[in-house]
mmCIF file of all heavy atoms in Angstrom:
data_model
loop_
_atom_site.group_PDB
_atom_site.id
_atom_site.type_symbol
_atom_site.label_atom_id
_atom_site.label_comp_id
_atom_site.label_asym_id
_atom_site.label_seq_id
_atom_site.Cartn_x
_atom_site.Cartn_y
_atom_site.Cartn_z
ATOM 1 N N LYS A 27 64.994 -21.283 44.132
ATOM 2 C CA LYS A 27 65.840 -20.192 44.472
ATOM 3 C C LYS A 27 66.213 -19.425 43.253
ATOM 4 O O LYS A 27 66.247 -18.177 43.242
ATOM 5 C CB LYS A 27 67.054 -20.727 45.219
ATOM 6 C CG LYS A 27 68.036 -19.710 45.711
ATOM 7 C CD LYS A 27 69.157 -20.368 46.566
ATOM 8 C CE LYS A 27 70.186 -19.285 47.015
ATOM 9 N NZ LYS A 27 71.441 -19.376 46.270
ATOM 10 N N ASP A 28 66.612 -20.146 42.148
ATOM 11 C CA ASP A 28 66.991 -19.518 40.894
ATOM 12 C C ASP A 28 65.813 -18.712 40.320
ATOM 13 O O ASP A 28 66.007 -17.589 39.846
ATOM 14 C CB ASP A 28 67.511 -20.557 39.859
ATOM 15 C CG ASP A 28 68.821 -21.154 40.276
ATOM 16 O OD1 ASP A 28 69.484 -20.584 41.197
ATOM 17 O OD2 ASP A 28 69.155 -22.208 39.709
ATOM 18 N N GLN A 29 64.622 -19.317 40.378
ATOM 19 C CA GLN A 29 63.459 -18.625 39.898
ATOM 20 C C GLN A 29 63.154 -17.311 40.682
ATOM 21 O O GLN A 29 62.871 -16.301 40.145
ATOM 22 C CB GLN A 29 62.231 -19.522 39.981
ATOM 23 C CG GLN A 29 62.152 -20.567 38.922
ATOM 24 C CD GLN A 29 60.946 -21.460 38.986
ATOM 25 O OE1 GLN A 29 60.226 -21.405 40.006
ATOM 26 N NE2 GLN A 29 60.700 -22.223 37.964
ATOM 27 N N ALA A 30 63.261 -17.454 42.064
ATOM 28 C CA ALA A 30 63.064 -16.272 42.919
ATOM 29 C C ALA A 30 64.093 -15.202 42.610
ATOM 30 O O ALA A 30 63.742 -14.035 42.501
ATOM 31 C CB ALA A 30 63.069 -16.724 44.359
ATOM 32 N N GLU A 31 65.354 -15.583 42.429
ATOM 33 C CA GLU A 31 66.415 -14.621 42.110
ATOM 34 C C GLU A 31 66.174 -13.951 40.757
ATOM 35 O O GLU A 31 66.333 -12.735 40.630
ATOM 36 C CB GLU A 31 67.768 -15.271 42.168
ATOM 37 C CG GLU A 31 68.221 -15.556 43.580
ATOM 38 C CD GLU A 31 69.584 -16.275 43.634
ATOM 39 O OE1 GLU A 31 70.143 -16.631 42.567
ATOM 40 O OE2 GLU A 31 70.095 -16.502 44.740
ATOM 41 N N GLY A 32 65.782 -14.812 39.834
ATOM 42 C CA GLY A 32 65.460 -14.301 38.456
ATOM 43 C C GLY A 32 64.332 -13.271 38.531
ATOM 44 O O GLY A 32 64.354 -12.233 37.907
ATOM 45 N N ALA A 33 63.242 -13.614 39.288
ATOM 46 C CA ALA A 33 62.079 -12.760 39.376
ATOM 47 C C ALA A 33 62.488 -11.427 40.067
ATOM 48 O O ALA A 33 61.984 -10.353 39.675
ATOM 49 C CB ALA A 33 60.963 -13.498 40.147
ATOM 50 N N ALA A 34 63.305 -11.584 41.048
ATOM 51 C CA ALA A 34 63.764 -10.383 41.817
ATOM 52 C C ALA A 34 64.590 -9.489 40.905
ATOM 53 O O ALA A 34 64.388 -8.232 40.938
ATOM 54 C CB ALA A 34 64.580 -10.758 43.065
ATOM 55 N N LYS A 35 65.429 -10.048 40.062
ATOM 56 C CA LYS A 35 66.249 -9.238 39.155
ATOM 57 C C LYS A 35 65.357 -8.598 38.151
ATOM 58 O O LYS A 35 65.559 -7.412 37.798
ATOM 59 C CB LYS A 35 67.259 -10.120 38.506
ATOM 60 C CG LYS A 35 68.507 -10.442 39.415
ATOM 61 C CD LYS A 35 69.503 -11.351 38.763
ATOM 62 C CE LYS A 35 70.573 -11.772 39.624
ATOM 63 N NZ LYS A 35 71.479 -12.753 39.051
ATOM 64 N N ASP A 36 64.386 -9.367 37.614
ATOM 65 C CA ASP A 36 63.458 -8.795 36.626
ATOM 66 C C ASP A 36 62.704 -7.619 37.233
ATOM 67 O O ASP A 36 62.483 -6.609 36.534
ATOM 68 C CB ASP A 36 62.457 -9.870 36.171
ATOM 69 C CG ASP A 36 63.127 -10.925 35.221
ATOM 70 O OD1 ASP A 36 64.271 -10.677 34.794
ATOM 71 O OD2 ASP A 36 62.466 -11.900 34.961
ATOM 72 N N ALA A 37 62.243 -7.859 38.429
ATOM 73 C CA ALA A 37 61.475 -6.726 39.115
ATOM 74 C C ALA A 37 62.324 -5.546 39.311
ATOM 75 O O ALA A 37 61.903 -4.381 39.061
ATOM 76 C CB ALA A 37 60.961 -7.243 40.449
ATOM 77 N N ALA A 38 63.600 -5.735 39.715
ATOM 78 C CA ALA A 38 64.484 -4.590 39.884
ATOM 79 C C ALA A 38 64.761 -3.894 38.646
ATOM 80 O O ALA A 38 64.772 -2.652 38.572
ATOM 81 C CB ALA A 38 65.831 -5.125 40.568
ATOM 82 N N ASN A 39 64.957 -4.657 37.548
ATOM 83 C CA ASN A 39 65.229 -4.073 36.204
ATOM 84 C C ASN A 39 63.966 -3.241 35.727
ATOM 85 O O ASN A 39 64.088 -2.174 35.246
ATOM 86 C CB ASN A 39 65.517 -5.095 35.169
ATOM 87 C CG ASN A 39 66.882 -5.740 35.386
ATOM 88 O OD1 ASN A 39 67.805 -5.119 36.016
ATOM 89 N ND2 ASN A 39 67.134 -6.906 34.806
ATOM 90 N N THR A 40 62.800 -3.844 35.939
ATOM 91 C CA THR A 40 61.595 -3.171 35.604
ATOM 92 C C THR A 40 61.402 -1.821 36.370
ATOM 93 O O THR A 40 61.068 -0.794 35.819
ATOM 94 C CB THR A 40 60.374 -4.109 35.786
ATOM 95 O OG1 THR A 40 60.529 -5.262 35.009
ATOM 96 C CG2 THR A 40 59.033 -3.410 35.388
ATOM 97 N N LEU A 41 61.647 -1.982 37.692
ATOM 98 C CA LEU A 41 61.471 -0.778 38.503
ATOM 99 C C LEU A 41 62.543 0.278 38.108
ATOM 100 O O LEU A 41 62.217 1.495 38.002
ATOM 101 C CB LEU A 41 61.718 -1.160 40.049
ATOM 102 C CG LEU A 41 61.679 -0.071 41.007
ATOM 103 C CD1 LEU A 41 60.355 0.679 40.989
ATOM 104 C CD2 LEU A 41 61.990 -0.566 42.378
ATOM 105 N N GLY A 42 63.750 -0.177 37.838
ATOM 106 C CA GLY A 42 64.806 0.711 37.444
ATOM 107 C C GLY A 42 64.463 1.464 36.124
ATOM 108 O O GLY A 42 64.639 2.643 36.004
ATOM 109 N N LYS A 43 63.895 0.709 35.190
ATOM 110 C CA LYS A 43 63.475 1.357 33.914
ATOM 111 C C LYS A 43 62.327 2.271 34.118
ATOM 112 O O LYS A 43 62.323 3.386 33.542
ATOM 113 C CB LYS A 43 63.112 0.208 32.880
ATOM 114 C CG LYS A 43 62.738 0.807 31.575
ATOM 115 C CD LYS A 43 62.550 -0.282 30.494
ATOM 116 C CE LYS A 43 62.181 0.217 29.132
ATOM 117 N NZ LYS A 43 61.861 1.613 28.986
ATOM 118 N N ALA A 44 61.361 1.882 34.963
ATOM 119 C CA ALA A 44 60.193 2.792 35.194
ATOM 120 C C ALA A 44 60.692 4.043 35.881
ATOM 121 O O ALA A 44 60.186 5.153 35.552
ATOM 122 C CB ALA A 44 59.178 2.078 36.111
ATOM 123 N N THR A 45 61.585 3.869 36.823
ATOM 124 C CA THR A 45 62.178 5.057 37.495
ATOM 125 C C THR A 45 62.952 5.982 36.476
ATOM 126 O O THR A 45 62.735 7.238 36.496
ATOM 127 C CB THR A 45 63.141 4.647 38.661
ATOM 128 O OG1 THR A 45 62.426 3.824 39.538
ATOM 129 C CG2 THR A 45 63.663 5.844 39.433
ATOM 130 N N GLN A 46 63.681 5.427 35.627
ATOM 131 C CA GLN A 46 64.419 6.168 34.675
ATOM 132 C C GLN A 46 63.511 6.871 33.749
ATOM 133 O O GLN A 46 63.683 8.065 33.350
ATOM 134 C CB GLN A 46 65.408 5.266 33.890
ATOM 135 C CG GLN A 46 66.324 6.023 32.906
ATOM 136 C CD GLN A 46 67.215 7.033 33.684
ATOM 137 O OE1 GLN A 46 67.863 6.651 34.667
ATOM 138 N NE2 GLN A 46 67.229 8.328 33.245
ATOM 139 N N ASP A 47 62.401 6.164 33.289
ATOM 140 C CA ASP A 47 61.379 6.817 32.405
ATOM 141 C C ASP A 47 60.733 7.950 33.062
ATOM 142 O O ASP A 47 60.537 9.004 32.426
ATOM 143 C CB ASP A 47 60.294 5.743 31.987
ATOM 144 C CG ASP A 47 60.810 4.672 31.003
ATOM 145 O OD1 ASP A 47 61.925 4.875 30.458
ATOM 146 O OD2 ASP A 47 60.160 3.673 30.828
ATOM 147 N N ALA A 48 60.420 7.795 34.379
ATOM 148 C CA ALA A 48 59.822 8.911 35.177
ATOM 149 C C ALA A 48 60.788 10.119 35.270
ATOM 150 O O ALA A 48 60.339 11.237 35.071
ATOM 151 C CB ALA A 48 59.405 8.384 36.480
ATOM 152 N N VAL A 49 62.027 9.773 35.519
ATOM 153 C CA VAL A 49 63.018 10.894 35.647
ATOM 154 C C VAL A 49 63.132 11.578 34.219
ATOM 155 O O VAL A 49 63.138 12.810 34.150
ATOM 156 C CB VAL A 49 64.374 10.314 36.069
ATOM 157 C CG1 VAL A 49 65.451 11.399 35.912
ATOM 158 C CG2 VAL A 49 64.311 9.876 37.510
ATOM 159 N N ASN A 50 63.189 10.800 33.179
ATOM 160 C CA ASN A 50 63.210 11.405 31.849
ATOM 161 C C ASN A 50 62.019 12.304 31.535
ATOM 162 O O ASN A 50 62.146 13.397 30.983
ATOM 163 C CB ASN A 50 63.343 10.304 30.788
ATOM 164 C CG ASN A 50 64.729 9.583 30.837
ATOM 165 O OD1 ASN A 50 65.664 10.076 31.419
ATOM 166 N ND2 ASN A 50 64.787 8.495 30.168
ATOM 167 N N GLN A 51 60.851 11.791 31.954
ATOM 168 C CA GLN A 51 59.643 12.615 31.731
ATOM 169 C C GLN A 51 59.669 13.859 32.497
ATOM 170 O O GLN A 51 59.290 14.951 32.005
ATOM 171 C CB GLN A 51 58.367 11.816 32.025
ATOM 172 C CG GLN A 51 58.080 10.743 31.057
ATOM 173 C CD GLN A 51 56.918 9.819 31.453
ATOM 174 O OE1 GLN A 51 56.248 10.034 32.463
ATOM 175 N NE2 GLN A 51 56.634 8.847 30.579
ATOM 176 N N ILE A 52 60.057 13.792 33.750
ATOM 177 C CA ILE A 52 60.180 14.986 34.621
ATOM 178 C C ILE A 52 61.166 15.962 34.054
ATOM 179 O O ILE A 52 60.910 17.153 33.992
ATOM 180 C CB ILE A 52 60.510 14.648 36.088
ATOM 181 C CG1 ILE A 52 59.391 13.802 36.655
ATOM 182 C CG2 ILE A 52 60.837 15.801 36.923
ATOM 183 C CD1 ILE A 52 59.709 13.098 38.010
ATOM 184 N N THR A 53 62.334 15.477 33.653
ATOM 185 C CA THR A 53 63.379 16.310 33.075
ATOM 186 C C THR A 53 62.854 16.918 31.829
ATOM 187 O O THR A 53 63.067 18.145 31.608
ATOM 188 C CB THR A 53 64.618 15.475 32.737
ATOM 189 O OG1 THR A 53 65.062 14.812 33.956
ATOM 190 C CG2 THR A 53 65.729 16.314 32.164
ATOM 191 N N ASP A 54 62.180 16.201 30.955
ATOM 192 C CA ASP A 54 61.672 16.739 29.712
ATOM 193 C C ASP A 54 60.591 17.811 30.006
ATOM 194 O O ASP A 54 60.681 18.864 29.381
ATOM 195 C CB ASP A 54 60.998 15.596 28.900
ATOM 196 C CG ASP A 54 60.610 16.008 27.492
ATOM 197 O OD1 ASP A 54 61.452 16.682 26.806
ATOM 198 O OD2 ASP A 54 59.490 15.699 27.031
ATOM 199 N N ALA A 55 59.707 17.550 30.941
ATOM 200 C CA ALA A 55 58.687 18.526 31.297
ATOM 201 C C ALA A 55 59.343 19.742 31.880
ATOM 202 O O ALA A 55 58.944 20.920 31.556
ATOM 203 C CB ALA A 55 57.717 17.894 32.329
ATOM 204 N N SER A 56 60.333 19.597 32.700
ATOM 205 C CA SER A 56 61.025 20.795 33.254
ATOM 206 C C SER A 56 61.678 21.563 32.222
ATOM 207 O O SER A 56 61.567 22.812 32.250
ATOM 208 C CB SER A 56 62.054 20.263 34.309
ATOM 209 O OG SER A 56 61.479 19.595 35.352
ATOM 210 N N GLN A 57 62.361 20.920 31.278
ATOM 211 C CA GLN A 57 62.987 21.623 30.171
ATOM 212 C C GLN A 57 62.018 22.418 29.374
ATOM 213 O O GLN A 57 62.247 23.564 28.969
ATOM 214 C CB GLN A 57 63.805 20.672 29.277
ATOM 215 C CG GLN A 57 64.673 21.387 28.305
ATOM 216 C CD GLN A 57 65.672 22.245 28.932
ATOM 217 O OE1 GLN A 57 66.428 21.912 29.847
ATOM 218 N NE2 GLN A 57 65.752 23.516 28.507
ATOM 219 N N LYS A 58 60.881 21.809 29.076
ATOM 220 C CA LYS A 58 59.770 22.476 28.303
ATOM 221 C C LYS A 58 59.289 23.728 29.011
ATOM 222 O O LYS A 58 58.973 24.751 28.469
ATOM 223 C CB LYS A 58 58.612 21.556 28.017
ATOM 224 C CG LYS A 58 58.967 20.536 26.907
ATOM 225 C CD LYS A 58 57.845 19.609 26.561
ATOM 226 C CE LYS A 58 58.287 18.670 25.468
ATOM 227 N NZ LYS A 58 57.270 17.557 25.306
ATOM 228 N N ALA A 59 59.108 23.596 30.412
ATOM 229 C CA ALA A 59 58.637 24.681 31.200
ATOM 230 C C ALA A 59 59.694 25.817 31.209
ATOM 231 O O ALA A 59 59.322 27.030 31.069
ATOM 232 C CB ALA A 59 58.342 24.197 32.643
ATOM 233 N N ILE A 60 60.948 25.462 31.298
ATOM 234 C CA ILE A 60 61.967 26.479 31.307
ATOM 235 C C ILE A 60 62.023 27.126 29.929
ATOM 236 O O ILE A 60 62.150 28.403 29.861
ATOM 237 C CB ILE A 60 63.388 25.827 31.593
ATOM 238 C CG1 ILE A 60 63.436 25.370 33.075
ATOM 239 C CG2 ILE A 60 64.569 26.700 31.309
ATOM 240 C CD1 ILE A 60 64.487 24.399 33.420
ATOM 241 N N ASP A 61 61.923 26.353 28.902
ATOM 242 C CA ASP A 61 61.918 26.922 27.513
ATOM 243 C C ASP A 61 60.810 27.927 27.285
ATOM 244 O O ASP A 61 60.955 28.994 26.776
ATOM 245 C CB ASP A 61 61.868 25.866 26.420
ATOM 246 C CG ASP A 61 63.123 24.969 26.362
ATOM 247 O OD1 ASP A 61 64.156 25.413 26.922
ATOM 248 O OD2 ASP A 61 63.125 23.980 25.769
ATOM 249 N N LYS A 62 59.633 27.484 27.803
ATOM 250 C CA LYS A 62 58.414 28.319 27.631
ATOM 251 C C LYS A 62 58.622 29.647 28.459
ATOM 252 O O LYS A 62 58.204 30.695 28.024
ATOM 253 C CB LYS A 62 57.244 27.527 28.171
ATOM 254 C CG LYS A 62 55.864 28.123 27.852
ATOM 255 C CD LYS A 62 54.679 27.226 28.208
ATOM 256 C CE LYS A 62 53.397 27.791 27.760
ATOM 257 N NZ LYS A 62 52.336 26.937 28.108
ATOM 258 N N ALA A 63 59.094 29.506 29.737
ATOM 259 C CA ALA A 63 59.322 30.645 30.529
ATOM 260 C C ALA A 63 60.265 31.632 29.916
ATOM 261 O O ALA A 63 60.155 32.822 29.901
ATOM 262 C CB ALA A 63 59.736 30.294 31.914
ATOM 263 N N SER A 64 61.377 31.057 29.341
ATOM 264 C CA SER A 64 62.402 31.840 28.721
ATOM 265 C C SER A 64 61.874 32.577 27.470
ATOM 266 O O SER A 64 62.137 33.776 27.298
ATOM 267 C CB SER A 64 63.571 30.937 28.248
ATOM 268 O OG SER A 64 64.144 30.408 29.376
ATOM 269 N N LYS A 65 61.026 31.869 26.743
ATOM 270 C CA LYS A 65 60.429 32.486 25.530
ATOM 271 C C LYS A 65 59.487 33.670 25.954
ATOM 272 O O LYS A 65 59.502 34.698 25.343
ATOM 273 C CB LYS A 65 59.669 31.401 24.744
ATOM 274 C CG LYS A 65 59.113 31.903 23.408
ATOM 275 C CD LYS A 65 58.542 30.707 22.647
ATOM 276 C CE LYS A 65 58.172 31.239 21.215
ATOM 277 N NZ LYS A 65 56.751 31.393 21.003
ATOM 278 N N ALA A 66 58.719 33.364 26.993
ATOM 279 C CA ALA A 66 57.754 34.411 27.461
ATOM 280 C C ALA A 66 58.518 35.633 27.975
ATOM 281 O O ALA A 66 58.134 36.774 27.691
ATOM 282 C CB ALA A 66 56.845 33.822 28.585
ATOM 283 N N ALA A 67 59.602 35.374 28.683
ATOM 284 C CA ALA A 67 60.471 36.485 29.207
ATOM 285 C C ALA A 67 61.093 37.253 28.029
ATOM 286 O O ALA A 67 61.093 38.482 28.028
ATOM 287 C CB ALA A 67 61.545 35.972 30.123
ATOM 288 N N GLN A 68 61.565 36.497 27.011
ATOM 289 C CA GLN A 68 62.151 37.173 25.840
ATOM 290 C C GLN A 68 61.131 38.022 25.102
ATOM 291 O O GLN A 68 61.400 39.186 24.697
ATOM 292 C CB GLN A 68 62.745 36.113 24.879
ATOM 293 C CG GLN A 68 63.444 36.691 23.652
ATOM 294 C CD GLN A 68 64.673 37.544 24.028
ATOM 295 O OE1 GLN A 68 65.409 37.298 24.990
ATOM 296 N NE2 GLN A 68 64.817 38.591 23.291
ATOM 297 N N GLU A 69 59.905 37.471 24.983
ATOM 298 C CA GLU A 69 58.852 38.280 24.281
ATOM 299 C C GLU A 69 58.509 39.461 25.092
ATOM 300 O O GLU A 69 58.210 40.516 24.551
ATOM 301 C CB GLU A 69 57.626 37.292 24.058
ATOM 302 C CG GLU A 69 57.866 36.338 22.978
ATOM 303 C CD GLU A 69 56.716 35.283 22.886
ATOM 304 O OE1 GLU A 69 55.842 35.270 23.704
ATOM 305 O OE2 GLU A 69 56.807 34.384 21.945
#
């Protein structure tokens, strides 16, 4: 039971980190796209 709970917590932590990394990548990509569009508009 302890092993299963530990594995479940590890999986949840890994999933949480992967989700956060994906959100960070999407946010970063969105910011770059906005910056690029703003620069093009300014030019």
Side-chain angles (χ1 to χ4, degrees):
K27 184 174 176 255
D28 291 346
Q29 283 180 348
E31 285 177 357
K35 285 179 185 172
D36 288 347
N39 288 339
T40 300
L41 179 62
K43 182 171 181 351
T45 302
Q46 187 59 51
D47 288 348
V49 168
N50 289 345
Q51 286 176 2
I52 292 166
T53 303
D54 189 46
S56 297
Q57 189 58 52
K58 284 180 180 169
I60 290 166
D61 291 347
K62 192 173 183 181
S64 297
K65 186 171 187 255
Q68 182 62 37
E69 287 171 356

